[in-house]
Amino acid sequence: MGTTLPKRLKQNRFRAILGITLPEVVIAGAVLALFIVGAVSTMAQINRWAVAARYRTLAMALVQQRVDQILTTPWSVLSTTPTILTAGTTTETKLPLDNDPYNNEAGLSSAFTNLDVQVIDTRTTTITSISAHMVSAVVTVSYTYRGHSYTVSMNTLRTTDDF
């Protein structure tokens, strides 16, 4: 016949197979913790990138707003040059980029409404006269977010509406 193990040894062997040891639990917990920390830090970085992109979009909208004013101001050959198209540099300071007046309306505000960092920017418009009936405009918005300076700029040419 074959050899048989004592009853005591058979029970210990089965018990070892069925149980989870403390080192296995610690290692599994460490792997899970590393995964969670990595996921949270990745989400935080993606959020920072999204906020930076949002501010860049808002700055671009401020630049585009001024360019639209320059391009749509009526300017006839027979009239004087409009004030907005007069040669020189105009600087507007302390324009909040993230000031959303609609967030204060009932139903739109939340506990997170005022948690945004206030970002103040400066918009500079430089008009250069090329000829009696043509000007060049450079509109620049500069702002600082999280210790980094950003600048968005657009150029345009404008001539009189009639020749």
Side-chain angles (χ1 to χ4, degrees):
M1 296 230 192
T3 60
T4 58
L5 292 173
K7 191 173 188 178
R8 188 179 95 245
L9 290 177
K10 286 182 182 178
Q11 288 176 349
N12 286 342
R13 186 172 48 174
F14 291 128
R15 191 174 301 167
I17 292 172
L18 296 177
I20 298 176
T21 63
L22 183 60
E24 290 172 330
V25 172
V26 169
I27 291 171
V31 169
L32 184 63
L34 284 173
F35 175 74
I36 291 172
V37 167
V40 168
S41 65
T42 300
M43 287 187 286
Q45 181 62 39
I46 290 171
N47 190 36
R48 284 191 291 272
W49 288 338
V51 171
R54 180 174 142 239
Y55 285 132
R56 181 168 172 74
T57 301
L58 291 170
M60 186 64 78
L62 279 176
V63 170
Q64 187 65 48
Q65 176 191 26
R66 181 51 48 99
V67 168
D68 288 345
Q69 286 176 342
I70 290 168
L71 292 176
T72 59
T73 299
W75 184 19
S76 174
V77 173
L78 302 175
S79 67
T80 60
T81 304
T83 308
I84 196 169
L85 300 176
T86 305
T89 300
T90 306
T91 303
E92 299 167 272
T93 58
K94 297 186 179 179
L95 300 173
L97 267 186
D98 53 358
N99 186 13
D100 187 1
Y102 299 109
N103 261 352
N104 296 327
E105 296 292 325
L108 292 177
S109 62
S110 72
F112 303 106
T113 299
N114 296 322
L115 294 180
D116 285 341
V117 176
Q118 285 292 328
V119 176
I120 306 299
D121 68 324
T122 301
R123 179 168 59 186
T124 305
T125 306
T126 303
I127 304 289
T128 306
S129 180
I130 296 175
S131 70
H133 304 292
M134 182 180 277
V135 296
S136 168
V138 178
V139 181
T140 304
V141 170
S142 302
Y143 63 97
T144 302
Y145 174 65
R146 295 181 64 95
H148 297 285
S149 296
Y150 298 93
T151 302
V152 177
S153 183
M154 293 179 101
N155 303 343
T156 189
L157 289 174
R158 171 69 199 270
T159 186
T160 56
D161 296 333
D162 48 1
F163 289 95

